[in-house]
Amino acid sequence: MKPRITLKKIASEFGVSISTVSKALKDSHEISEETRDKIKAFADFYNYKPNSLALQLRNQKTSVIGVIIPEIVHHFFSTVIDGIEQYATKKGYNVMVCVSNESYEKEVSNFNVLTNGSVDGLIVSIARETQQKNEYTHFEGLIKDDFPLVLFDRINDNLACDKVIIDDVGGAYKATNHLVEIGSKRIALLTTQDFITVGALRKEGYLKSLRKNGIEVDENLIYKIDDSKDLYEQIKKVIFVTNPPDAILAVNEIYAANALKIAKERKLSIPNDIAIIGFTDGLISEFTYPPLSEVVQHGFAMGQQAAELLIKRIEQKTESGFKKEVISTNLKIRRSTLAPN
Amino acid sequence: MKPRITLKKIASEFGVSISTVSKALKDSHEISEETRDKIKAFADFYNYKPNSLALQLRNQKTSVIGVIIPEIVHHFFSTVIDGIEQYATKKGYNVMVCVSNESYEKEVSNFNVLTNGSVDGLIVSIARETQQKNEYTHFEGLIKDDFPLVLFDRINDNLACDKVIIDDVGGAYKATNHLVEIGSKRIALLTTQDFITVGALRKEGYLKSLRKNGIEVDENLIYKIDDSKDLYEQIKKVIFVTNPPDAILAVNEIYAANALKIAKERKLSIPNDIAIIGFTDGLISEFTYPPLSEVVQHGFAMGQQAAELLIKRIEQKTESGFKKEVISTNLKIRRSTLAPN
DNA sequence: TAACATTCCGAAATCGTTTTCGTGTTTATA
DNA sequence: TATAAACACGAAAACGATTTCGGAATGTTA
């Protein structure tokens, strides 16, 4: 690669000092019009652009936001990144994305790489393994130094920083209420293992609705899926039983789509024999048969909100208290819970 | 944010020079064991990490790869990023992602931001608008300076740089052959407008197969979808006609899934009345009813390949000629083109 | 005891920029 | 004509690190 042109080279070209060149390019009145013009013409010709590393070092500001997510091939997370990216760009920031791959070790390594000067702040969704180990010292280190940090979706309430979450409890509550309204009595919950906070919260909303509607909780209807094992086989055990549930609330789209597929394999009629609703991650729901009802999550808004909180923090426009923003959900009712008239 | 500790601060703490501290932390034999130990203990206690901006400036190397994609909420592109990220991480690089949003102007602005020293090289998939305007001066500027650059998927053959593409012609060829084999006679093509190179190439494979199989090309069966308008309405015009085609090859998953949905609305039996196959972008195909046959694209491999080419270029391990790698596709036959026995 | 080697450390350059503070020259003013 | 103001520019510090080179203080050898 050809070395880019620098102030130094321009200066030596005209036999002037670096400061003169710098000032000339900024139209400083300190430099005569004649000198200014010839320097600017030369710089223009060689397409001079200030080296951003040098600027970042001098200004002690990178205008880069680091993002660490558990997965990138994931509709919800990529939607959040989209929100972050768009807001960041609007505010003159760039985005550096790292993937923890649900691994604690990779998350820590990402922390180390990003927080050594290359970014002004960090937006993180916690890796599964980190939640499982309950090991947050890398976060605490940052927090101790007041490093700008925003957590989203997979958060930990004990960490002193800004947070953005989906209204998981409310979403599951609304969805369960909807199932009750259409007449479901035995509503199964397909959730994650307990250490995944969002799974736990959605379970909470489910239970809250059952209680409110006077339905007794049947622990046998609560299935905790282990994401590291075969999904299909686990969900099969929910539906291929002698007395299957008459409704399913799934905490994500994949669980819901699989449940729907398996229910059809058992020749169950949807929604008459079994109604199904999930939390939306993606595009699947629209194209299943019948299309799936969903709790819509608004990842884009979440990303924007996270970026906004972070940038305010970076630019110190926040009154010190930490904020926890809740992005509300809404129900998108499709035919998997609503028989056509 | 608390300022991070620097060599300077450590030096003044012990009344030694900065060079001494730097050497001590690197276990240089030039420094006495006594001095080394106390400096290292102190640095360790205050969690000293060298500022990466300073290192990047000095070493004239950022170990960051810039990626510019048209869209991020897109299964194929996020899969490619995943491949890039994983390979890059393995080689000690980080990834900075920017989104052009299919806009020429944003693509140019991303170029400007990324190529001023903040990245060692660039991986790009060209924005739709750029292809439409046929305006490549921003690329040519980089190429003139031998800036490491790799194009993927949406490429331009006139640009002198490394490239990675899907075997679009071959994929469409295989898919069309498959349709012919199962007995389809009137095979419609759902493609993009011509300036999208991948659409054009897939059309080429489609035509090639028809010719080889002695089927006359019917221009009325080639539909060029305009992505800026309503998809559903455009695809409806393919199927809600007096004599609909008996097979459809769609150049992406969304077109295919919509076609399938609309065919069912017209009560066509799939695959008996109409067989449907698409190019895979995502997860939809597995969950439609019937599941969609697909040309599998291997975005992850593509990302890895692109990152490998770029890093070799950066580290000058490439013999000067530019490479064009082709990632081959394969067919995943599901029930939308294959009646169950 | 003279010469040389070893040990331990510091000064300074370098990466590329911005910015403050001089300083020398010219021009305007009293 | 002496003095002040205006003009045009340069030196140097700063951001935070690495590295080459040089040098003082010891220790070793002939």
Side-chain angles (χ1 to χ4, degrees):
Chain A
M1 185 170 81
K2 294 210 189 98
R4 295 185 67 87
I5 192 158
T6 66
L7 292 186
K8 203 177 178 178
K9 285 190 212 151
I10 302 181
S12 77
E13 180 73 22
F14 290 104
V16 297
S17 75
I18 294 178
S19 4
T20 302
V21 178
S22 175
K23 288 172 190 164
L25 293 177
K26 311 186 100 68
D27 263 327
S28 163
H29 62 276
E30 282 185 45
I31 308 298
S32 71
E33 208 173 319
E34 194 195 338
T35 315
R36 274 207 305 250
D37 287 348
K38 68 182 182 189
I39 289 181
K40 277 161 67 177
F42 185 86
D44 221 50
F45 182 76
Y46 284 103
N47 195 26
Y48 170 80
K49 302 260 173 56
N51 180 304
S52 46
L53 285 182
L55 286 180
Q56 290 173 31
L57 182 60
R58 167 158 233 278
N59 299 332
Q60 297 288 81
K61 173 156 179 65
T62 63
S63 293
V64 176
I65 290 178
V67 178
I68 302 177
I69 47 172
E71 252 183 284
I72 193 162
V73 187
H74 192 296
H75 193 270
F76 176 67
F77 284 127
S78 65
T79 309
V80 176
I81 293 190
D82 200 26
I84 294 174
E85 209 272 343
Q86 297 218 8
Y87 189 88
T89 302
K90 209 174 64 186
K91 294 290 183 180
Y93 285 76
N94 273 80
V95 176
M96 191 140 158
V97 178
C98 293
V99 181
S100 66
N101 243 314
E102 303 285 14
S103 141
Y104 167 74
E105 212 166 327
K106 245 204 116 186
E107 185 173 281
V108 173
S109 126
N110 285 334
F111 263 69
N112 287 330
V113 174
L114 292 181
T115 58
N116 291 328
S118 18
V119 302
D120 290 342
L122 222 45
I123 298 180
V124 183
S125 190
I126 305 173
R128 190 196 306 146
E129 200 190 351
T130 306
Q131 295 195 123
Q132 199 163 4
K133 291 171 100 102
N134 201 33
E135 178 59 59
Y136 293 98
T137 44
H138 50 313
F139 286 96
E140 286 152 5
L142 286 194
I143 289 171
K144 191 169 52 60
D145 291 339
D146 292 325
F147 190 91
L149 171 68
V150 175
L151 255 35
F152 76 91
D153 198 50
R154 307 244 202 104
I155 68 163
N156 180 307
D157 274 321
N158 300 321
L159 264 20
C161 62
D162 293 315
K163 303 175 186 98
V164 189
I165 51 167
I166 293 291
D167 179 15
D168 291 298
V169 177
Y173 179 76
K174 281 190 237 174
T176 313
N177 281 347
H178 168 65
L179 292 173
V180 172
E181 277 162 25
I182 63 169
S184 309
K185 308 287 181 205
R186 301 184 58 250
I187 303 174
L189 176 69
L190 289 191
T191 184
T192 60
Q193 294 168 285
D194 280 332
F195 59 82
I196 305 279
T197 51
V198 300
L201 290 170
R202 288 168 193 182
K203 178 177 163 187
E204 199 180 313
Y206 161 83
L207 294 175
K208 185 174 154 195
S209 166
L210 292 188
R211 279 194 297 271
K212 177 214 161 203
N213 289 292
I215 298 180
E216 201 176 340
V217 175
D218 181 351
E219 285 292 340
N220 293 320
L221 287 177
I222 298 177
Y223 296 86
K224 292 179 186 166
I225 307 291
D226 182 348
D227 278 321
S228 61
K229 295 185 193 156
D230 186 64
L231 264 187
Y232 188 84
E233 288 305 321
Q234 291 179 81
I235 297 179
K236 214 162 173 179
K237 289 184 187 137
V238 179
I239 294 169
F240 276 82
V241 290
T242 47
N243 183 19
D246 62 1
I248 290 180
L249 167 61
V251 299
N252 63 48
E253 186 177 40
I254 300 287
Y255 293 179
N258 272 293
L260 183 137
K261 193 174 173 181
I262 294 168
K264 277 196 298 198
E265 284 167 14
R266 219 203 130 154
K267 311 282 185 210
L268 294 176
S269 152
I270 301 160
N272 297 329
D273 296 335
I274 185 166
I276 301 176
I277 187 167
F279 274 69
T280 305
D281 290 329
L283 302 171
I284 301 174
S285 309
E286 191 184 340
F287 294 104
T288 58
Y289 190 78
L292 274 165
S293 294
E294 294 286 343
V295 181
V296 183
Q297 287 192 65
H298 306 296
F300 188 83
M302 187 164 203
Q304 286 193 311
Q305 182 65 257
E308 186 182 338
L309 284 175
L310 186 70
I311 290 175
K312 279 196 178 151
R313 200 48 85 178
I314 291 171
E315 297 176 353
Q316 315 197 310
K317 289 180 181 153
T318 324
E319 336 66 76
S320 53
F322 292 114
K323 297 201 174 161
K324 181 172 180 178
E325 299 286 349
V326 178
I327 308 290
S328 65
T329 60
N330 60 282
L331 255 38
K332 180 143 210 162
I333 306 301
R334 296 204 186 88
R335 297 211 316 278
S336 73
T337 62
L338 199 64
N341 299 331
Chain B
M1 186 170 81
K2 293 209 190 97
R4 295 186 67 86
I5 192 158
T6 65
L7 291 186
K8 201 176 179 179
K9 286 189 210 152
I10 302 181
S12 77
E13 180 74 20
F14 290 104
V16 297
S17 75
I18 293 178
S19 8
T20 302
V21 178
S22 173
K23 289 171 190 165
L25 294 177
K26 312 185 98 71
D27 262 326
S28 163
H29 62 274
E30 283 186 43
I31 308 298
S32 71
E33 208 173 317
E34 193 195 337
T35 314
R36 274 208 304 252
D37 286 349
K38 67 181 185 193
I39 288 180
K40 277 160 67 177
F42 185 86
D44 221 50
F45 182 77
Y46 284 102
N47 194 27
Y48 170 80
K49 301 259 175 56
N51 179 304
S52 45
L53 284 182
L55 287 180
Q56 290 174 31
L57 182 59
R58 167 160 232 278
N59 299 331
Q60 297 288 78
K61 172 156 179 68
T62 62
S63 294
V64 176
I65 289 177
V67 178
I68 302 177
I69 47 172
E71 250 183 285
I72 193 161
V73 187
H74 191 296
H75 193 269
F76 176 67
F77 284 127
S78 65
T79 308
V80 176
I81 294 190
D82 200 27
I84 294 174
E85 209 273 343
Q86 298 218 7
Y87 189 88
T89 303
K90 210 173 65 186
K91 295 290 182 180
Y93 285 75
N94 273 80
V95 177
M96 191 141 160
V97 178
C98 293
V99 181
S100 65
N101 243 315
E102 303 284 14
S103 141
Y104 167 74
E105 210 166 331
K106 245 203 117 186
E107 185 173 279
V108 172
S109 125
N110 286 333
F111 263 68
N112 287 330
V113 174
L114 292 181
T115 58
N116 291 328
S118 21
V119 302
D120 290 341
L122 222 45
I123 297 179
V124 183
S125 191
I126 305 174
R128 190 195 306 147
E129 200 190 350
T130 306
Q131 295 195 122
Q132 199 162 5
K133 291 171 101 101
N134 199 33
E135 178 59 61
Y136 293 98
T137 44
H138 50 314
F139 286 96
E140 287 153 5
L142 286 194
I143 289 171
K144 190 168 53 59
D145 291 339
D146 292 324
F147 190 92
L149 171 67
V150 175
L151 255 35
F152 77 92
D153 199 51
R154 308 242 202 106
I155 68 162
N156 180 308
D157 274 321
N158 300 321
L159 264 20
C161 63
D162 293 315
K163 303 172 186 103
V164 189
I165 51 167
I166 293 292
D167 179 15
D168 291 299
V169 177
Y173 180 76
K174 281 190 238 177
T176 312
N177 281 347
H178 169 65
L179 292 174
V180 172
E181 276 162 27
I182 64 170
S184 309
K185 308 286 182 206
R186 301 185 57 251
I187 304 173
L189 175 69
L190 288 192
T191 185
T192 59
Q193 294 168 284
D194 279 332
F195 58 82
I196 305 279
T197 52
V198 300
L201 290 170
R202 289 169 192 182
K203 178 176 163 190
E204 199 180 313
Y206 161 84
L207 296 174
K208 186 175 154 195
S209 165
L210 293 188
R211 278 194 298 269
K212 176 213 162 203
N213 288 293
I215 298 180
E216 202 177 340
V217 176
D218 181 352
E219 285 292 340
N220 293 320
L221 287 176
I222 298 177
Y223 295 85
K224 293 180 185 166
I225 306 290
D226 182 346
D227 278 321
S228 61
K229 296 187 191 153
D230 186 64
L231 266 186
Y232 188 84
E233 288 305 321
Q234 290 180 81
I235 298 180
K236 214 163 173 178
K237 289 184 187 137
V238 179
I239 294 170
F240 276 81
V241 289
T242 45
N243 182 20
D246 63 0
I248 290 181
L249 167 62
V251 299
N252 63 47
E253 187 176 40
I254 299 286
Y255 293 179
N258 273 293
L260 183 137
K261 193 173 172 181
I262 294 168
K264 278 197 297 201
E265 285 169 13
R266 219 203 130 151
K267 311 283 184 209
L268 295 176
S269 153
I270 302 160
N272 297 329
D273 297 335
I274 186 165
I276 301 176
I277 186 167
F279 273 69
T280 306
D281 289 331
L283 302 171
I284 301 174
S285 308
E286 192 183 339
F287 294 104
T288 56
Y289 190 79
L292 274 165
S293 294
E294 294 287 342
V295 180
V296 183
Q297 288 192 68
H298 306 295
F300 188 84
M302 186 163 202
Q304 286 193 311
Q305 182 65 256
E308 187 183 336
L309 283 175
L310 186 70
I311 291 175
K312 279 197 178 149
R313 201 48 84 179
I314 291 170
E315 297 175 353
Q316 314 197 310
K317 289 179 182 154
T318 323
E319 338 65 75
S320 53
F322 292 114
K323 297 201 174 159
K324 181 171 180 178
E325 300 286 348
V326 178
I327 308 290
S328 65
T329 59
N330 60 281
L331 256 36
K332 181 143 209 161
I333 306 300
R334 295 203 187 88
R335 298 212 314 280
S336 72
T337 61
L338 199 65
N341 300 330

